[in-house]
């Protein structure tokens, strides 16, 4: 039996926040978006709606009269970073609605998270220039309020029906898209296999009979791409912090992270990310493995960045190595020539030559223009 959604007033983070306009809507701002549990496979059984998992900025869009607000997953205003979307939503005929969806930017037929990150810039002139050079697209996948009234307590199957009707009432725009959905698990599996090269992050499974559970994870599941690659260890950073200082006082210096590289077709070794999934004891043992190789060329192509004003110098200095060590790491996403997040160390690969560690392991080229993502 489906449980009712909790009262919105009882949820954390729903008070009126600085930076948002006053909106005469029955949906509070900020509102914690509905979240998902991570699983390794698509759920079995009936009653599920499947959608692609978009790799962008989660965003709730509020429209009340002439006022438009964009709210991030963390409950912060996003409107100043995406002025083209604000203009788009202000131009729509319905003047009272709340959407849940994702802001994405497509570059050469695939999603580009790096272009999204460039938008978070303090200079309005820079943001305006980027809005013209690489305009954003809003992908809607839920409707929380429309001119007929609030929908938070309505089941997903009804919210989706109202969302589709809402989108049909709007003039077509490449900047506003409806996320595909299916109740067919085979279709969802095909999305999972085919859409990765376009930059999508996996597949979502949502319970069709559930209301919008703001801030909760019990009505939605995400299945993300998880893959492995063999990488060259071409450098490392020593650990920082109190534990590292205590180790040095005891005569040891633990390793903080291994810096990973892949070879391109020209034979250049490029920095692609790091792995730091080690226990305290393993960090000390790693020092004995990597320190004998200090002094090598390290990366002959793109190299790690140096110290920055955001972090301590000790944390950013790194030691180049002779490129002899190969390890296998697990990762979830590779984009713009690097692993998006830190990777998980799996094992050493002494059986593999460093020169065999190329970009062909991680770069799959999309076949298409990107329109396939929206069911076109």
């Amino acid at each position: 039996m489906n449980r009712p959604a909790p009262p919105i007033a009882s949820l954390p983070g729903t008070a009126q926040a600085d930076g948002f306009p006053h909106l005469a809507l029955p949906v509070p701002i900020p509102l914690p978006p509905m979240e998902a549990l991570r699983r390794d496979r698509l759920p079995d059984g009936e009653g599920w709606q499947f959608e692609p998992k978009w790799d962008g900025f989660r965003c709730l869009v509020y429209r009340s009269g002439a006022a438009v607000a964009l709210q991030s997953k963390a409950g912060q205003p996003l409107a100043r970073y995406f002025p083209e979307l604000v203009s788009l939503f202000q131009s729509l005929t319905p003047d009272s609605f709340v959407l849940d969806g994702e802001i994405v930017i497509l570059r050469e037929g695939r999603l580009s998270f790096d272009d999204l990150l460039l938008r978070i810039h303090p200079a309005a002139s820079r943001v305006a220039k980027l809005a013209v050079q690489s305009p954003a697209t809003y992908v809607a996948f839920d409707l929380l309020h429309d001119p007929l009234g609030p929908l938070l307590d309505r089941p997903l199957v009804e919210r989706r029906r109202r969302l589709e009707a809402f989108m049909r009432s709007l003039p077509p725009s490449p900047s506003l898209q409806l996320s595909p959905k299916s109740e067919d698990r085979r279709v969802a599996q095909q999305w999972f296999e085919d859409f990765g090269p376009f930059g999508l992050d996996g597949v979502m499974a949502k319970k069709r009979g559930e209301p919008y559970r703001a801030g909760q994870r019990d009505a939605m599941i995400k299945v993300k791409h998880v893959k492995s690659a063999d990488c060259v260890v071409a450098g490392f950073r020593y650990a920082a912090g109190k534990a590292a200082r205590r180790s040095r006082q005891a005569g040891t210096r633990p390793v903080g992270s291994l810096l990973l590289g892949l070879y391109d077709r020209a034979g250049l070794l490029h920095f692609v990310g790091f792995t730091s999934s080690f226990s305290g004891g393993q960090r000390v043992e790693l020092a004995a493995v990597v320190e004998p190789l200090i002094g090598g060329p390290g990366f002959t192509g793109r190299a790690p960045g140096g110290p920055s004003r955001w972090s301590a110098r000790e944390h950013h200095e790194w030691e180049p190595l002779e490129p002899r060590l190969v390890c296998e790491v697990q990762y979830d996403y590779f984009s713009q020539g690097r692993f998006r997040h830190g990777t998980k160390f799996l094992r050493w690969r002494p059986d593999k030559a460093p020169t065999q560690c190329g970009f062909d392991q991680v770069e799959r080229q999309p076949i298409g223009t990107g329109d396939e993502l929206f069911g076109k």
Side-chain angles (χ1 to χ4, degrees):
M1 184 172 65
N2 295 331
R3 295 180 288 111
I8 293 300
S10 69
L11 294 168
T14 55
Q16 184 72 25
D18 292 339
F20 290 112
H22 177 73
L23 303 170
L25 291 169
V27 179
I29 185 171
L31 177 74
M34 187 165 68
E35 299 198 44
L37 293 171
R38 182 165 179 172
R39 293 290 183 262
D40 294 331
R41 57 190 295 272
L42 295 174
D44 296 321
E46 302 299 321
W48 294 97
Q49 173 177 300
F50 303 103
E51 301 171 14
K53 185 179 184 303
W54 302 94
D55 189 35
F57 287 172
R58 183 75 173 273
C59 178
L60 271 63
V61 177
Y62 294 75
R63 168 79 186 275
S64 177
V68 169
L70 307 183
Q71 179 214 303
S72 75
K73 182 177 181 179
Q76 300 301 311
L78 284 174
R80 70 180 303 269
Y81 304 117
F82 299 96
E84 74 276 34
L85 293 182
V86 173
S87 297
L88 169 67
F89 289 116
Q90 286 176 330
S91 71
L92 301 181
T93 299
D95 64 358
S96 180
F97 59 83
V98 180
L99 292 166
D100 189 3
E102 200 97 357
I103 299 175
V104 299
I105 293 179
L106 284 101
R107 178 179 290 275
E108 297 178 354
R110 61 174 293 138
L111 305 184
S112 173
F113 197 82
D114 285 356
D115 281 307
L116 283 174
L117 293 176
L118 291 176
R119 290 297 190 91
I120 310 303
H121 196 282
S125 59
R126 175 63 174 164
V127 171
K129 182 178 181 180
L130 291 172
V132 174
Q133 292 178 344
S134 52
T137 296
Y138 187 80
V139 184
F141 48 67
D142 212 333
L143 182 64
L144 312 187
H145 171 73
D146 67 9
L148 298 178
L151 297 165
L152 287 167
D153 63 347
R154 308 309 301 160
L156 173 62
V157 63
E158 180 179 339
R159 301 198 309 275
R160 177 69 190 201
R161 184 166 57 247
R162 296 269 283 270
L163 173 62
E164 291 176 353
F166 177 85
M167 295 292 287
R168 285 195 300 269
S169 73
L170 306 177
S173 170
S175 298
L176 179 57
Q177 299 287 342
L178 175 66
S179 179
K181 67 94 176 175
S182 178
E183 285 87 50
D184 190 332
R185 191 170 284 95
R186 293 170 298 180
V187 173
Q189 188 62 43
Q190 198 68 45
W191 287 340
F192 191 84
E193 296 170 1
D194 293 349
F195 283 1
F198 291 99
L200 265 76
D201 212 11
V203 171
M204 306 297 297
K206 302 178 181 180
K207 295 180 180 178
R208 299 177 69 232
E210 291 288 331
Y212 190 86
R213 299 196 175 279
Q216 299 187 38
R217 299 178 182 271
D218 53 354
M220 190 160 62
I221 287 173
K222 58 184 176 183
V223 183
K224 298 181 67 174
H225 292 285
V226 177
K227 300 168 281 289
S228 70
D230 297 322
C231 299
V232 181
V233 179
F236 73 96
R237 288 189 173 107
Y238 283 110
K242 294 181 179 179
R245 288 194 289 272
R246 286 196 297 269
S247 296
R248 288 201 297 272
Q249 291 169 359
T252 60
R253 195 176 184 189
V255 168
S257 61
L258 302 179
L259 307 182
L260 309 173
L262 293 174
Y263 282 99
D264 66 13
R265 293 181 178 178
L268 295 176
L269 182 59
H270 296 276
F271 171 68
V272 293
F274 68 93
T275 187
S276 58
S277 56
F278 307 108
S279 66
Q282 290 172 326
R283 294 179 187 279
V284 173
E285 295 171 358
L286 277 174
V289 175
V290 297
E291 285 178 340
L293 301 177
I294 290 176
F299 299 94
T300 54
R302 186 174 55 252
S308 80
R309 62 192 178 104
W310 303 111
S311 300
R313 178 178 179 84
E314 176 186 23
H315 176 70
H316 276 269
E317 290 180 335
W318 63 281
E319 301 287 344
L321 299 177
E322 291 286 347
R324 299 180 189 174
L325 298 173
V326 174
C327 69
E328 183 180 2
V329 296
Q330 179 179 293
Y331 68 97
D332 57 3
Y333 194 58
F334 188 89
S335 173
Q336 306 292 320
R338 64 180 183 270
F339 298 116
R340 168 72 58 75
H341 311 109
T343 65
K344 179 181 179 181
F345 181 92
L346 296 179
R347 57 177 175 159
W348 294 109
R349 291 295 308 270
D351 57 314
K352 190 158 188 177
T355 53
Q356 293 178 307
C357 301
F359 281 94
D360 58 318
Q361 303 175 88
V362 294
E363 290 185 336
R364 292 174 57 200
Q365 294 301 316
I367 302 175
T369 62
D371 287 340
E372 296 87 346
L373 301 177
F374 308 113
K376 298 178 180 179

